[in-house]
Amino acid sequence: MTEIRVGLLGLGTIGTGVARILIEQQVLISRRLGKNVRLVAAADRDLSRDRGLDFSGVRLTDDANDVVTADDIDLVVELIGGYEPARTFVATALEHGKHAVTANKALIAKHGEELFPLAAEKGVAIGFEAAVGGGIPCLKALREGCAANAVQSVYGILNGTCNFILTKMENEGADYADVLKEAQELGYAEADPTFDVEGIDTSHKLSILAAMAFGSKIRFDEVFTEGISKITADDIESAAELGYRIKLLGIAKPHGTNGNVERVEMRVHPTLVPVHSQMAQVSDSYNAVQVSGDFVEHTMYFGRGAGERPTASAVVADIMDIARVCSSDGGPDEVKHLAPAMGFVESERRDLETLAVADIECEYYLRLMVQDQPGVIASVTSILADHRISLEAMSQKERSEANSVPVIMLTHETSEGNLQAAISRIVGLQAVEEDVLILRKESAVA
Ligand code: HSE
């Protein structure tokens, strides 16, 4: 039986999970593949910690360079995370003719466009299923299962930390800061939660999904990104009264003419979704991805977006996909039997523009703090009317101790540029405070 020999970088939570699967599920994997996947070496700076696994027969090292250049390794699994040194290790592995598998969304979002051509030049594969949606096989579904479709939209709840926080705020009426603290104490949120709560992690994942959906290059830096840190328990309650739930969504849509995609819309922000939609039911730390295509219509993929076992499951599925067509005694043509990493052959991937933020069209939720005086609402709605912005609903909360009261408005569809122009005039009104919360609404989620 032929085999593929694996080297692992990082024996943290996910690395330990991958080692566990490769050791404990060896027989099942061989039965599914018709060949062996053998863990040959693993590198970690801390080898003293007991991972509860029998590593006999596995070369353990504290130097990752030993793994990425070793002659007896066919495939390197990078589970260090972050941009560097992960980028250097993966690039070195590819340069040495090794396949690479990673769970690192930051790496793919930021450096994928240099790693894909390098892999192609060397005739090796790069897999990153675990980078988006953790254990959910959503990239494979988009890349292969939905391959016959022109994709019309992608929506995702892609960050478990944010979904956990928003769910708890909703269920308990609790404040953001208190729930974040609790999430940190429980180990759900990082000590520095910025990447998660400010939407950056979701943007990494969305930029990968968008490029795979529309055959474009990954443009992570151009994703319009807002996090959840300004959402209050009152906003969640107001949204619920209007029939919506607030989720941090990644949203990608194609724009163009005659079926040609010319620009890609990419945005990440807290979003009002109809309370009865499937997306609204995705709670706690779960993730979900909705892909809609012109033939298949709506599809949705749900599951664990993080954690040792789900993420390791996706990493090993990638290893098995590569092992299915490649082996230690094979040649560079083998990877041609794999679906292209980004779902389109490399020469057909386009350097498409990102839709300008001002041109994004959606419906809005506005929270204005206004003085409770005659004529204030009339002044606000008159400005909205000047900008041809139509209101769907409005509510005013009772007077608080402060002089200002929150007024919630739901608008019909308008462009971001038009909305912002109206808001800059509204905050110029003497009776309106400057701090306006703008949330966006998506009625089209399934
Ligand atoms: N930090 C991510 C989350 C998991 O909270 O979902 C890894 O992508």
Side-chain angles (χ1 to χ4, degrees):
M1 187 184 273
T2 54
E3 64 175 6
I4 194 156
R5 299 162 302 178
V6 172
L8 201 49
L9 306 181
L11 277 174
T13 307
I14 314 301
T16 302
V18 170
R20 186 184 311 287
I21 296 182
L22 293 182
I23 293 166
E24 293 179 3
Q25 306 276 67
Q26 203 173 29
V27 174
L28 175 73
I29 289 171
S30 298
R31 285 182 61 213
R32 286 190 189 272
L33 275 180
K35 59 176 84 166
N36 283 329
V37 176
R38 184 155 64 88
L39 181 59
V40 169
D44 196 279
R45 275 183 304 196
D46 175 12
L47 293 172
S48 61
R49 192 161 54 85
D50 180 14
R51 274 112 177 149
L53 288 172
D54 177 7
F55 281 108
S56 50
V58 180
R59 190 164 73 246
L60 296 177
T61 171
D62 60 5
D63 186 355
N65 284 303
D66 287 349
V67 174
V68 294
T69 58
D71 287 339
D72 62 349
I73 287 171
D74 308 304
L75 185 154
V76 169
V77 181
E78 182 276 311
L79 298 169
I80 301 167
Y83 299 127
E84 283 291 357
R87 187 198 66 83
T88 303
F89 288 141
V90 171
T92 307
L94 298 175
E95 273 158 8
H96 281 76
K98 299 178 194 324
H99 309 288
V101 170
T102 180
N104 187 339
K105 60 265 166 184
L107 175 73
I108 298 299
K110 191 116 177 151
H111 298 297
E113 296 303 342
E114 52 184 283
L115 297 173
F116 301 143
L118 179 58
E121 183 196 324
K122 297 292 176 185
V124 290
I126 181 160
F128 44 91
E129 178 65 65
V132 180
I136 310 170
C138 55
L139 294 186
K140 195 172 183 70
L142 171 59
R143 181 202 292 123
E144 298 171 44
C146 296
N149 290 263
V151 176
Q152 294 168 322
S153 62
V154 178
Y155 294 104
I157 292 176
L158 300 167
N159 186 271
T161 305
C162 288
N163 210 36
F164 174 85
I165 291 172
L166 291 172
T167 303
K168 222 164 161 53
M169 285 174 73
E170 179 177 351
N171 291 346
E172 298 175 10
D175 276 332
Y176 168 79
D178 294 337
V179 177
L180 172 61
K181 193 159 169 277
E182 192 185 333
Q184 284 170 319
E185 281 161 8
L186 288 169
Y188 288 130
E190 306 277 344
D192 178 358
T194 312
F195 258 50
D196 290 322
V197 299
E198 296 306 343
I200 301 158
D201 176 75
T202 301
S203 292
H204 283 141
K205 295 165 180 169
L206 182 77
S207 66
I208 298 168
L209 281 167
M212 192 175 282
F214 308 122
S216 53
K217 297 285 169 83
I218 299 174
R219 289 192 170 196
F220 156 68
D221 292 335
E222 296 178 14
V223 180
F224 171 75
T225 305
E226 282 181 3
I228 63 166
S229 57
K230 294 199 178 91
I231 307 289
T232 64
D234 284 347
D235 291 318
I236 290 178
E237 192 186 316
S238 299
E241 284 165 8
L242 294 161
Y244 296 91
R245 209 161 260 168
I246 300 178
K247 296 289 180 190
L248 184 73
L249 276 199
I251 300 168
K253 296 178 186 175
H255 291 263
T257 44
N258 302 325
N260 292 321
V261 185
E262 288 153 7
R263 285 178 306 285
V264 176
E265 174 179 347
M266 292 187 288
R267 48 194 168 99
V268 169
H269 48 66
T271 309
L272 275 72
V273 296
V275 72
H276 296 300
S277 62
Q278 296 293 330
M279 204 55 98
Q281 315 315 314
V282 178
S283 58
D284 301 313
S285 60
Y286 280 97
N287 282 201
V289 179
Q290 180 193 317
V291 175
S292 301
D294 53 352
F295 279 78
V296 72
E297 300 182 8
H298 299 312
T299 66
M300 193 153 163
Y301 315 96
F302 165 89
R304 286 274 175 217
E308 175 188 320
R309 295 171 75 92
T311 310
S313 158
V315 169
V316 176
D318 268 349
I319 297 172
M320 290 171 70
D321 263 355
I322 295 170
R324 201 165 274 121
V325 299
C326 305
S327 56
S328 41
D329 47 9
D333 274 350
E334 289 175 328
V335 288
K336 295 195 173 129
H337 300 291
L338 281 169
M342 288 301 289
F344 288 72
V345 293
E346 203 52 33
S347 57
E348 286 298 320
R349 296 181 61 229
R350 310 263 152 80
D351 202 5
L352 299 180
E353 270 180 38
T354 303
L355 187 77
V357 173
D359 294 337
I360 291 170
E361 298 260 343
C362 62
E363 303 153 301
Y364 292 87
Y365 165 108
L366 309 174
R367 188 225 302 143
L368 311 176
M369 296 301 292
V370 307
Q371 285 169 20
D372 197 0
Q373 313 173 338
V376 177
I377 297 298
S379 308
V380 170
T381 51
S382 147
I383 293 174
L384 291 174
D386 282 354
H387 288 263
R388 310 183 71 78
I389 297 171
S390 174
L391 284 180
E392 181 194 319
M394 196 182 84
S395 76
Q396 179 179 327
K397 298 284 178 176
E398 63 270 22
R399 191 191 289 268
S400 60
E401 281 172 27
N403 196 24
S404 297
V405 289
V407 171
I408 308 299
M409 293 177 168
L410 278 190
T411 78
H412 286 295
E413 196 165 86
T414 187
S415 73
E416 184 81 22
N418 191 37
L419 190 273
Q420 295 290 353
I423 294 292
S424 64
R425 284 182 62 198
I426 288 170
V427 296
L429 294 170
Q430 178 267 326
V432 178
E433 288 183 12
E434 243 182 57
D435 203 9
V436 176
L437 179 78
I438 302 173
L439 301 180
R440 292 155 191 87
K441 176 158 100 64
E442 283 290 321
S443 304
V445 292

